[in-house]
Amino acid sequence: MRVAILSSEAVPFAKTGGLADVAGALPKALREHGVDASLVLPLYEQIDRKQLREQIIDNLAVEWGDGGSTRARVWYSEAAGAPTFLIDAPEYFQRNSIYGFRDDHERFAFFCRASLALFKRLGTPPEMVHLNDWHSGFAAVELRVRRWSDPFFSRTRTLLSIHNLAYQGTFDPAELPRMGFGSHERRDPFIANGAASALKAGLISSDALSTVSRRYAQEIQTAEHGHGLEWILRARRDRLVGITNGVDYDIWNPATDKHLAAHYNADDLTGKRICKLDLLRSFGLPENLERPIIATVSRLTSQKGYDLIKEAAGKMLATGAYFIALGSGAKEYEDFLQALRGSAPGQVGVFVGFNDPLAHKIEAGADIFLMPSLYEPCGLNQMYSTRYGTVPVVRATGGLDDTVQDFDRVSGTGNGFKFQRYDAGSMLEKVYEALYCYAEPEVWKKIQLNGMSVDNSWRAAAEKYINLYRAVMNM
Ligand code: ADP
Ligand code: GLC
């Protein structure tokens, strides 16, 4: 089975969030099951050129503009453990960040068209093109049209995975012809409330849809979480499945993690104390190993529940716990974190920015990982936390609800703490409960071990994708 995965980010090349972790791990996991999986990605400026093996195409003709064409180069790499093709188009991708430009829709439309041109140049059509989020919605439309007009793609099927429905890639429909989507059959799928939406186009045009947890697959069919697209998801619910992301234990494993001061596993947790000390030192905090560390690593957006953290921060600090935060994003939350540190410099550690090694150190060194998300399609940090013996406190939404079980003192079951209502009081109750358990080492160790023994590896998720690909190809 030949599968091509299109993504706007992937580890180890370029990352802003969990999509990169998923796109970096899935092709490798599929290959371990004998699938001929490859990855296609834009060649951003920030990608370390040492990861590239060679330039394999220097004049890829990409259909572009209204009937015209333009050229791109393609590089090849195996740094993700699977064949990866990187589209080199400096006009679109030699910029100082991955997203955030006025022409993002045009950049990713070009990426999609270049990917299709690449498949033709490579000579064998993929049987399955696995698309991710709005960035690849353009490819769903084009492949749907080509199925009838271009024999090369007549047997190619598409799956669109939704990692976050809130980001829809909307733009002015007047720009569609310039990107080669001027004809009715190409234009119409994009139109939503008078705007053009790349995500909506992808949801309409893909053969099948998936999202990254079962719970989120249900939630997005409701007005509360559907971001205006719930009607499509309800209409296509027989084509929509939830597959929970896996964890790449080659990268996120306390027994081998190259960023840690010491290694440990479920049989011997002594290394975790060394990691805790190392973490306190990296933030210049007093070295009191008995005090619990509550930590968070995330994009700073309202999605991640930062409004609750803001509201509850004073009371959390009043418990005497350390609070450590790593993140970047909205200025409002960055300012809040800096001010919080200023108010309690011996108790709060803050790093504003993106820092992968520090994210690993926090997973290992913290005691409690806080993830009070407003919504969470899957969430990876809670799964990393359980493997690192760091107990997650989460809100019961999306993938957090599917992967975290509330600890029950009587039966001794559960790998974390989970609250339902999106309010600061409910979150604090669970933080207090967690701290109460932390004070009893035997109870705490039980929760840690419950989490560390869970197997969230990609093996099972990859199998589910393969079954889904098969079902779609036989449709
Ligand atoms: P999302 O994709 O919504 O951001 P996930 O929990 O799925 O949330 O994945 C987030 C990923 O990004 C994790 O690997 C996390 O460690 C990483 N991450 C988020 N913010 C930062 C940051 N500021 N520095 C380093 N890694 C970060
Ligand atoms: C998105 C979601 C996150 C998910 C990730 C990978 O960024 O916000 O919940 O884990 O994609 O699927």
Side-chain angles (χ1 to χ4, degrees), residues 391-462:
V391 175
V393 173
V394 307
R395 178 161 173 267
T397 182
L400 296 175
D401 200 19
D402 287 351
T403 57
V404 175
Q405 288 77 43
D406 203 29
F407 180 66
D408 180 80
R409 286 181 81 92
V410 178
S411 61
T413 56
N415 58 4
F417 296 89
K418 189 157 80 169
F419 62 98
Q420 300 286 334
R421 278 169 52 97
Y422 187 75
D423 63 47
S426 305
M427 180 184 90
L428 274 170
E429 267 176 39
K430 282 293 164 185
V431 170
Y432 293 152
E433 196 182 327
L435 291 172
Y436 186 71
C437 292
Y438 175 83
E440 293 176 79
E442 285 314 306
V443 175
W444 194 250
K445 190 158 180 202
K446 175 80 186 137
I447 309 171
Q448 288 179 301
L449 294 183
N450 287 351
M452 292 180 89
S453 62
V454 176
D455 179 10
N456 286 314
S457 63
W458 266 104
R459 196 173 19 80

Side-chain angles (χ1 to χ4, degrees), residues 147-442:
R147 180 170 307 174
W148 317 110
S149 62
D150 182 345
F152 183 82
F153 286 117
S154 65
R155 291 174 55 83
T156 299
R157 296 293 175 266
T158 50
L159 166 68
L160 174 67
S161 289
I162 305 159
H163 298 264
N164 197 330
L165 200 65
Y167 299 90
Q168 303 190 351
T170 47
F171 55 94
D172 183 349
E175 302 198 30
L176 281 165
R178 217 154 43 79
M179 300 185 296
F181 293 94
S183 67
H184 267 300
E185 54 180 352
R186 288 185 166 86
R187 178 183 186 278
D188 292 353
F190 285 92
I191 306 303
N193 300 322
S197 157
L199 181 62
K200 187 230 161 193
L203 295 179
I204 294 268
S205 308
S206 298
D207 293 299
L209 305 172
S210 74
T211 185
V212 286
S213 68
R214 287 170 66 167
R215 178 74 197 274
Y216 193 62
Q218 295 159 352
E219 288 171 342
I220 54 179
Q221 297 178 44
T222 66
E224 190 191 347
H225 291 287
H227 297 277
L229 297 174
E230 60 275 11
W231 59 279
I232 303 178
L233 297 159
R234 272 205 299 269
R236 303 203 69 197
R237 61 179 176 273
D238 60 332
R239 296 286 171 94
L240 169 66
V241 300
I243 299 177
T244 304
N245 290 328
V247 171
D248 187 339
Y249 290 127
D250 291 342
I251 299 177
W252 294 94
N253 180 354
T256 54
D257 191 328
K258 62 177 185 217
H259 300 297
L260 304 189
H263 291 141
Y264 58 93
N265 58 39
D267 295 328
D268 182 2
L269 284 165
T270 34
K272 187 165 171 68
R273 277 177 81 80
I274 301 171
C275 292
K276 181 167 179 177
L277 187 63
D278 179 52
L279 181 62
L280 291 172
R281 281 187 184 150
S282 19
F283 279 99
L285 290 166
E287 295 169 12
N288 182 344
L289 286 174
E290 305 319 313
R291 268 164 81 172
I293 301 179
I294 303 174
T296 161
V297 177
S298 76
R299 294 179 292 113
L300 301 180
T301 65
S302 58
Q303 176 197 340
K304 299 295 174 182
Y306 251 87
D307 293 316
L308 301 192
I309 296 179
K310 262 176 89 171
E311 204 181 322
K315 288 191 171 145
M316 280 199 298
L317 293 184
T319 66
Y322 291 110
F323 179 70
I324 288 180
L326 163 62
S328 66
K331 183 163 184 312
E332 175 198 350
Y333 302 128
E334 294 188 354
D335 291 347
F336 151 72
L337 286 176
Q338 304 286 20
L340 190 68
R341 178 178 45 190
S343 73
Q347 206 180 346
V348 177
V350 169
F351 186 101
V352 169
F354 192 89
N355 187 329
D356 185 50
L358 190 56
H360 288 252
K361 281 175 187 287
I362 291 176
E363 284 296 358
D367 299 293
I368 294 173
F369 196 93
L370 191 57
M371 227 168 147
S373 304
L374 178 60
Y375 71 92
E376 196 62 75
C378 178
L380 294 167
N381 281 304
Q382 81 282 11
M383 295 195 272
Y384 300 156
S385 297
T386 51
R387 178 49 63 117
Y388 282 69
T390 300
V391 175
V393 173
V394 307
R395 178 161 173 267
T397 182
L400 296 175
D401 200 19
D402 287 351
T403 57
V404 175
Q405 288 77 43
D406 203 29
F407 180 66
D408 180 80
R409 286 181 81 92
V410 178
S411 61
T413 56
N415 58 4
F417 296 89
K418 189 157 80 169
F419 62 98
Q420 300 286 334
R421 278 169 52 97
Y422 187 75
D423 63 47
S426 305
M427 180 184 90
L428 274 170
E429 267 176 39
K430 282 293 164 185
V431 170
Y432 293 152
E433 196 182 327
L435 291 172
Y436 186 71
C437 292
Y438 175 83
E440 293 176 79
E442 285 314 306

